[in-house]
């Protein structure tokens, strides 16, 4: 039977095929992880819907496949093998030709001393092709791949059972040579081409989409977080002891953002050509580094959670993001994105809006520096917040109202700010 | 043969019914009238003596063309050909050689059954000291036969009898020779090499041309000589295509296909993109008499096409 890429999650129309976890010829049980599928910045493992033997892989790694498209063939238990696809061939026309090979005459009486008879023909039944071969490469394929530096995992096989043939490698080389500027020269020795991982490809596509579709404006505010720093410091030991996790600034920021989004719903919307779509839920995505690239786990309904609740949720999401174990729902449905670029030491950054959201906010590094307080100068903990926003949806006034609302909330944090 | 006999009066023909009758396939029709009975000798039904007389004449400076009426009757010559003729040059330290040709029509598909259908090339091709030629086309047959007659060593020249009337092709009147031991790429292609010889060449070419429309580009290599085999041409073709199918009418085990496969394995291993495959006659002692069974025994364009498709898809 044909295995199709299943519909996973709302608003997902296609997926990128990641690593195949089974090879052609492998025995698979129902619900065995079959292939990694990368959608909307997350890796999911697609389980096999049946038990049987994997007979063909129809979608190569890195290929973008629409939901519902065939990706593999499994000979399910009890299913008859498909035939090799041999079709009876038509007899070629025999024409007398003056070439040196000569030609076969039809309908001539056979020579020889013992009898005669009509023309002889035979059509043997085609033997079924073996399709239970494990994935192996022929010497010719290995040699050419080695010579030309081809990563065979990226080459889609057209041979029996999906085998990568010499022809496949040759056309792969032709295509990869043609795709950049066609140059007669071999690639220079001081360069190296690293193939894209599916995740990298997906991130790249999203970034291009953001940069090319959204007219983005940018703003920056300074936030005096001296009170926040003191509050966190004071709560630290007690929090660790009682909750078993550390307390960071992030839950405070998310809470401030969630509350400010409630006040400024335009920031929690998306552009849809003939309408602005306001989102009723406030789901805040948090950009995080993962082993194979950026992921954005989402804190759903962030406006309903306490500081502790947020801290727990963040701890869980970031731990799983680092291990690459996020589920699809963990990364779906974000309505606004927060990026703590300060963790990387940055004091100023210009993020790209996470398409199709309305805005993205960064919190930069907290720096102790002199600041004017009242009539005097004091050493304060200062933090920059940067925001890029979709200028189609809003103008500077709305953007500033929002970011100043966040700023005010963060600056209001003091010794009495509750955590529960 | 006529041209060679006119050119060189050391050349003579001998065999059963070759004189007055002009040969069972009329290969020597009119020879008796033109060259006389000293050079066109009808022999008794004794193949061992045909080969032995030719061997002796050749050792004494003549250039005999001895005909075995059907290759099926060639077995009594084994002692003369394998045991003696092949070894004379070595045994005399190069002082003597045996410039003889043993001609024999062979092969099946002619309702010849057990005693008029055999393919014998592999038996002789195993023997160092012999050359074994298996032409497939009229053009090659003339050029190779001239080379065989002029060769200083014994040549077994095996003509597929079905090609006598089944194949028509261009033969120039003028003088030319084709070197023994040189294969010929009869059809150029990219996807797969078919190595063959004799009658099967024509079925292979027919199959290859038909498969063009399916997008399979087949190169057809005609060995022409099965001893010595032209390693270079075979290797060059397989290095280009990465796949080899060897086709012969003779049975598979220990056949020419095994030798070609061995050559490919030795010298083209790193270029292989598929299993070296043999399509050959079944492991059955004789060609059956029943037409249905004979058809089953013989290879055909259909069988070859199916084998090419399988290997091309691999």
């Amino acid at each position: 039977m044909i295995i199709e890429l299943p519909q996973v999650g709302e608003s997902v129309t296609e997926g990128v095929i990641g690593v195949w976890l089974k090879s052609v010829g492998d025995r698979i049980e129902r619900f065995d992880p079959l292939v990694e599928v990368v959608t909307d910045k997350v890796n999911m493992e697609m389980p096999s819907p049946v038990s049987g033997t994997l007979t063909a892989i129809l979608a190569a790694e890195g290929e973008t496949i629409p939901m519902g498209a065939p990706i593999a063939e499994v000979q399910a238990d009890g299913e008859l093998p498909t035939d090799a696809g041999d079709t009876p061939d038509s007899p070629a026309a025999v024409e007398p030709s003056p070439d040196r090979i000569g030609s076969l005459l039809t309908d001539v009486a056979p020579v020889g001393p013992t009898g005669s008879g009509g023309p002889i023909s035979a059509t043997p039944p085609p033997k079924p092709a073996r399709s239970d071969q494990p994935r192996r490469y022929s010497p010719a394929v290995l040699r050419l791949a080695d010579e030309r530096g081809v990563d065979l995992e990226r080459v889609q096989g057209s041979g029996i059972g999906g085998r990568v043939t010499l022809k496949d490698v040759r056309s792969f080389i032709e295509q990869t040579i043609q795709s950049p500027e066609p140059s007669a020269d071999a690639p220079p020795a001081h360069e190296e081409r690293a193939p894209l991982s599916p995740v990298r490809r997906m991130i790249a596509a999203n970034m291009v989409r953001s940069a090319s579709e959204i007219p983005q404006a940018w703003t920056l505010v300074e936030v005096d977080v001296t009170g926040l720093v003191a509050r966190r410091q004071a709560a630290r030991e007690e929090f660790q002891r009682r909750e078993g996790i550390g307390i960071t600034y992030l839950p405070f920021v998310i809470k401030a953002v969630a509350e400010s989004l409630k006040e400024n719903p335009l920031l929690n919307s998306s552009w849809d050509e003939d309408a602005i779509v306001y989102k009723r839920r406030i789901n805040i995505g948090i950009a995080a580094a993962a082993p194979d690239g950026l992921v954005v786990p989402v804190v759903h309904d962030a406006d309903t959670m306490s500081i502790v609740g947020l801290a727990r949720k963040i701890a869980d999401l970031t731990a799983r993001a680092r291990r690459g174990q996020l589920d699809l729902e963990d990364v779906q449905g974000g309505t606004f994105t927060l990026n703590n670029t300060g963790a990387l030491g940055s004091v100023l950054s210009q993020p790209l809006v996470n398409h199709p959201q309305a805005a993205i906010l960064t919190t930069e590094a907290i720096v102790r520096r002199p600041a004017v307080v009242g009539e005097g100068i004091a050493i304060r903990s200062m933090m920059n917040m940067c925001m890029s926003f979709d200028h189609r949806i809003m103008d500077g006034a709305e953007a500033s109202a929002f970011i100043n609302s966040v700023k005010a909330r963060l600056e209001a944090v003091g010794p009495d700010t509750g955590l529960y | 043969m006529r041209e060679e006999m006119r050119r060189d009066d050391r050349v003579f023909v001998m065999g059963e019914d070759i004189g007055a009758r002009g040969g069972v396939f009329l290969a020597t029709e009119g020879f008796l009238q033109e060259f006389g009975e000293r050079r066109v000798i009808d022999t008794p039904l004794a193949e061992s003596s045909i080969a032995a007389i030719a061997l002796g004449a050749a050792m004494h400076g003549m250039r005999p063309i001895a005909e075995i009426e059907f290759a099926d009757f060639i077995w009594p010559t084994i002692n003369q050909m394998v045991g003696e003729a092949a070894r004379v040059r070595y045994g005399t330290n190069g002082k003597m050689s045996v410039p003889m040709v043993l001609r024999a029509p062979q092969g099946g598909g002619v309702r010849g059954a057990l005693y008029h259908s055999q393919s014998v090339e592999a038996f002789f091709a195993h023997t160092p000291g012999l050359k074994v030629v298996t032409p497939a086309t009229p053009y090659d047959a003339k050029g190779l036969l001239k080379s065989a007659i002029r060769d200083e060593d014994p040549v077994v020249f095996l003509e597929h009898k079905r090609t006598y009337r089944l194949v028509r092709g261009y033969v120039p009147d003028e003088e030319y020779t084709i070197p023994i031991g040189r294969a010929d790429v009869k059809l150029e292609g990219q996807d797969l090499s078919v190595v063959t010889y004799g009658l099967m060449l024509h079925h292979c070419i027919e199959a290859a041309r038909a498969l063009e429309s399916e997008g399979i580009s087949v190169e057809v290599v005609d060995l022409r000589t099965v001893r010595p085999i032209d390693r270079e041409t075979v290797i060059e073709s397989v290095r280009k295509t990465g796949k080899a199918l060897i086709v012969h009418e003779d049975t598979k085990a220990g056949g020419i296909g095994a030798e070609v496969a061995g050559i490919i394995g030795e010298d083209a291993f790193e270029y292989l993109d598929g299993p070296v495959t043999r399509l050959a006659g079944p492991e059955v002692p004789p060609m059956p008499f029943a037409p249905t069974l004979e058809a089953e025994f013989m290879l055909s364009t259909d069988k070859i096409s199916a084998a090419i498709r399988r290997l091309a898809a691999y």
Side-chain angles (χ1 to χ4, degrees):
Chain A
M1 68 176 287
I2 300 283
I3 307 294
E4 295 169 349
L5 190 60
Q7 184 68 42
V8 283
E10 41 167 337
S11 78
V12 179
T13 56
E14 56 185 30
V16 176
I17 300 299
V19 176
W20 280 93
L21 305 168
K22 300 285 178 187
S23 307
V24 170
D26 281 0
R27 166 82 205 157
I28 44 178
E29 300 299 332
R30 196 173 176 208
F31 303 132
D32 271 1
L34 192 61
V35 60
E36 281 181 17
V37 178
V38 184
T39 62
D40 202 5
K41 293 187 185 173
V42 73
N43 286 5
M44 58 170 280
E45 288 177 355
M46 181 192 148
S48 172
V50 291
S51 298
T53 305
L54 184 60
T55 52
I57 288 176
L58 307 174
E61 223 175 295
E63 231 183 299
T64 303
I65 304 289
M67 297 294 168
I71 59 170
E73 268 181 48
V74 172
Q75 190 189 316
D77 291 344
E79 194 186 10
L80 290 173
T82 50
D83 71 278
D86 276 324
T87 49
D89 51 337
S90 52
V94 176
E95 50 183 61
S97 68
D99 64 11
R100 289 171 180 175
I101 299 168
S103 57
L104 275 177
L105 303 182
T106 50
D107 298 330
V108 291
V111 297
T114 53
S116 65
I120 294 162
S121 69
T123 315
K127 284 180 191 160
R130 289 181 61 194
S131 55
D132 56 347
Q133 306 270 357
R135 183 156 179 154
R136 286 206 192 107
Y137 302 114
S138 73
V141 163
L142 287 173
R143 194 175 142 277
L144 185 62
D146 190 43
E147 270 177 19
R148 304 295 297 268
V150 173
D151 175 9
L152 288 171
E153 293 295 322
R154 294 174 58 212
V155 182
Q156 193 172 8
S158 70
I160 289 175
R163 192 186 74 92
V164 173
T165 67
L166 188 58
K167 249 180 142 175
D168 294 333
V169 182
R170 281 180 182 149
S171 58
F172 181 85
I173 290 170
E174 261 173 42
Q175 279 165 17
T176 47
I177 286 174
Q178 275 163 10
S179 51
E181 282 302 295
S183 96
D185 301 339
H190 57 270
E191 287 177 3
E192 188 189 325
R193 291 178 62 82
L196 295 177
S197 71
V199 172
R200 196 69 248 158
R201 209 180 282 273
M202 182 73 89
I203 292 172
N206 285 347
M207 292 305 157
V208 167
R209 206 164 168 205
S210 171
S212 59
E213 280 185 23
I214 304 177
Q216 309 195 17
W218 182 79
T219 185
L220 158 73
V221 294
E222 280 187 310
V223 188
D224 183 338
V225 290
T226 311
L228 173 61
V229 170
R231 181 71 187 94
R232 175 187 171 240
Q233 192 59 39
R236 218 168 163 175
E237 279 185 26
E238 171 79 2
F239 194 90
Q240 178 73 46
R241 196 168 45 76
R242 286 180 59 167
E243 307 297 338
I245 50 172
I247 178 82
T248 65
Y249 300 116
L250 194 55
F252 294 94
V253 177
I254 294 175
K255 194 167 169 59
V257 166
E259 288 169 6
S260 301
L261 286 173
K262 266 212 144 112
E263 277 180 23
N264 302 275
L266 204 52
L267 275 287
N268 201 49
S269 71
S270 61
W271 179 259
D272 194 21
E273 294 316 321
D274 56 353
I276 289 168
V277 182
Y278 288 88
K279 305 291 168 78
R280 295 220 167 90
R281 295 175 72 186
I282 293 178
N283 302 332
I284 298 178
I286 305 150
D292 50 357
L294 182 73
V295 289
V296 186
V298 175
V299 179
H300 293 94
D301 302 313
D303 56 323
T304 66
M305 297 165 99
S306 65
I307 296 291
V308 172
L310 288 168
R312 286 194 179 287
K313 184 73 185 169
I314 295 161
D316 169 53
L317 286 174
T318 49
R320 283 193 290 130
R322 266 185 222 112
R323 293 198 303 266
Q325 290 176 342
L326 288 175
D327 294 327
L328 194 60
E329 46 268 36
D330 290 331
V331 296
Q332 277 194 328
T335 58
F336 185 92
T337 299
L338 192 59
N339 191 359
N340 182 27
T341 47
L344 308 171
S346 160
V347 293
L348 195 67
S349 52
Q350 191 184 357
L352 285 170
V353 171
N354 190 358
H355 186 282
Q357 296 167 12
I360 182 169
L361 184 75
T362 71
T363 51
E364 305 294 330
I366 296 171
V367 182
R368 277 163 61 80
R369 58 181 165 88
V372 175
V373 179
E375 292 306 307
I377 294 175
I379 294 177
R380 307 290 294 179
S381 294
M382 301 299 290
M383 179 183 84
N384 289 337
M385 285 196 306
C386 304
M387 188 171 78
S388 298
F389 57 92
D390 188 337
H391 213 325
R392 294 174 301 183
I393 295 176
M394 73 195 88
D395 302 316
E398 289 88 358
S400 298
F402 167 76
I403 198 167
N404 281 318
S405 168
V406 177
K407 171 187 160 90
R409 285 188 157 78
L410 290 175
E411 290 185 339
V413 174
D416 302 329
T417 303
L419 302 180
Y420 295 95
Chain B
M1 279 190 290
R2 181 176 269 128
E3 286 174 16
E4 289 302 296
M5 287 178 74
R6 288 175 185 159
R7 195 183 65 86
D8 182 348
D9 57 18
R10 293 174 301 169
V11 179
F12 71 98
V13 292
M14 57 185 293
E16 295 159 10
D17 283 335
I18 65 148
R21 182 151 189 247
V24 69
F25 294 110
L26 306 181
T28 49
E29 194 175 23
F31 277 38
L32 187 62
Q33 289 76 6
E34 179 171 350
F35 302 107
E37 56 187 17
R38 283 181 60 82
R39 295 181 69 196
V40 182
I41 303 167
D42 272 323
T43 65
L45 300 182
E47 285 78 13
S48 61
S49 74
I50 296 173
I53 291 163
L55 167 62
M59 288 171 75
H60 286 85
M62 298 299 283
R63 295 197 169 255
I65 306 170
E67 181 179 306
I68 303 298
E69 196 167 33
F70 288 88
D72 307 70
F73 314 145
I74 211 165
W75 308 122
T77 73
I78 290 284
N79 182 44
Q80 283 71 28
M81 298 307 295
V82 175
E84 300 296 341
R87 302 165 185 210
V88 167
R89 180 182 287 281
Y90 185 94
T92 61
N93 201 18
K95 285 197 174 63
M96 296 178 93
S97 66
V98 182
M100 68 174 280
V101 178
L102 191 70
R103 269 188 66 237
Q106 69 160 4
V110 296
R111 304 290 153 82
L114 279 67
Y115 295 107
H116 295 84
S117 300
Q118 296 174 46
S119 296
V120 303
E121 66 272 22
F123 292 91
F124 294 99
H126 179 66
T127 305
L130 293 183
K131 292 171 182 168
V132 183
V133 179
T134 50
T137 71
Y139 179 90
D140 286 349
K142 174 174 170 179
L144 284 164
L145 186 56
K146 280 176 173 285
S147 293
I149 293 166
R150 298 177 195 183
D151 201 282
E152 295 300 326
D153 291 299
V155 177
V156 179
F157 200 89
L158 301 170
E159 301 156 15
H160 198 294
K161 51 187 171 292
R162 197 156 152 77
T163 62
Y164 286 153
R165 281 168 59 185
L166 196 62
V167 177
R168 294 280 184 282
Y170 166 70
V171 182
D173 288 335
E174 62 266 26
E175 169 87 17
Y176 67 92
T177 60
I178 290 171
I180 291 172
R182 197 77 54 79
D184 185 32
V185 177
K186 288 285 199 289
L187 210 60
E188 289 201 16
Q190 301 302 321
D191 297 343
L192 182 151
S193 299
V194 172
V195 181
T196 187
Y197 57 88
L199 172 69
M200 287 304 138
L201 170 76
H202 300 282
H203 290 298
C204 289
I205 284 174
E206 204 174 51
R209 285 186 174 147
L211 290 172
E212 255 173 53
S213 62
E214 295 178 24
I216 304 174
S217 165
V218 180
E219 178 145 310
V220 179
V221 178
D222 178 10
L223 286 177
R224 297 199 290 202
T225 303
V226 297
R227 183 179 190 103
I229 287 174
D230 181 355
R231 297 178 76 103
E232 287 72 25
T233 302
V234 171
I235 293 303
E236 194 184 320
S237 175
V238 176
R239 283 189 178 183
K240 181 174 81 171
T241 62
K243 290 178 178 175
L245 173 71
I246 305 144
V247 179
H248 56 62
E249 176 185 327
D250 190 16
T251 52
K252 186 189 273 187
I256 301 300
E259 180 58 24
V260 175
I263 289 171
I264 293 169
E266 283 165 359
D267 288 353
F269 176 76
E270 289 188 4
Y271 297 81
L272 286 177
D273 192 36
V276 178
T277 309
R278 289 173 292 166
L279 182 66
E283 299 300 315
V284 175
M287 184 74 67
F289 182 69
T292 47
L293 292 178
E294 182 182 47
E296 187 58 32
F297 189 108
M298 289 293 288
L299 298 183
S300 65
T301 303
D302 283 351
K303 290 178 187 176
I304 295 167
S305 295
I308 292 174
R309 273 196 208 97
R310 269 198 296 277
L311 186 56
Y314 179 83

